Amino acid sequence: MIAAVLLVAGVALIGLSLREIGSQSQEQPTSREQMAQATHPTQPSPEPQKTAPPAESKPGGDRPTTPAPEPARPDADAQKSGAQPVLPPAPAEKTAPPIKQK
């Protein structure tokens, strides 16, 4: 019963809306309609300044880095001379006792 009432109300609302839209298109413009105002055309953007092209890449070439990269773990000779590792030692894996069967 409620569904039928809602359906009839919806159809009536659609009918009233369509009737109003049809009557407005036949009349002169009302106060609700406004004239759109166009904007002036935009100026073309200036060309960007030309800069030097990037350096040509070479296959297998050296990558310049500043400062020079260093290994995280110095080799044995460097460690003997006093070089410290950059990274702390990795933690040992933690293992739990086996799960007891019930």
Side-chain angles (χ1 to χ4, degrees):
M1 180 69 178
I2 296 175
V5 171
L6 289 175
L7 181 65
V8 170
V11 171
L13 185 62
I14 290 172
L16 291 173
S17 299
L18 290 175
R19 192 173 115 208
E20 184 177 339
I21 290 171
S23 66
Q24 283 183 358
S25 63
Q26 295 173 356
E27 296 176 5
Q28 294 293 329
T30 62
S31 62
R32 291 177 35 184
E33 296 177 7
Q34 296 179 357
M35 181 75 76
Q37 182 176 357
T39 60
H40 295 289
T42 58
Q43 297 288 333
S45 60
E47 291 188 28
Q49 296 178 355
K50 294 187 178 183
T51 59
E56 186 176 331
S57 62
K58 300 174 189 174
D62 295 331
R63 290 180 61 184
T65 57
T66 306
E70 297 178 7
R73 301 264 176 238
D75 57 357
D77 293 336
Q79 283 185 352
K80 287 178 186 173
S81 64
Q84 296 293 322
V86 177
L87 298 174
E93 288 188 38
K94 296 180 181 178
T95 57
I99 299 174
K100 297 178 182 177
Q101 296 293 331
K102 292 187 178 184

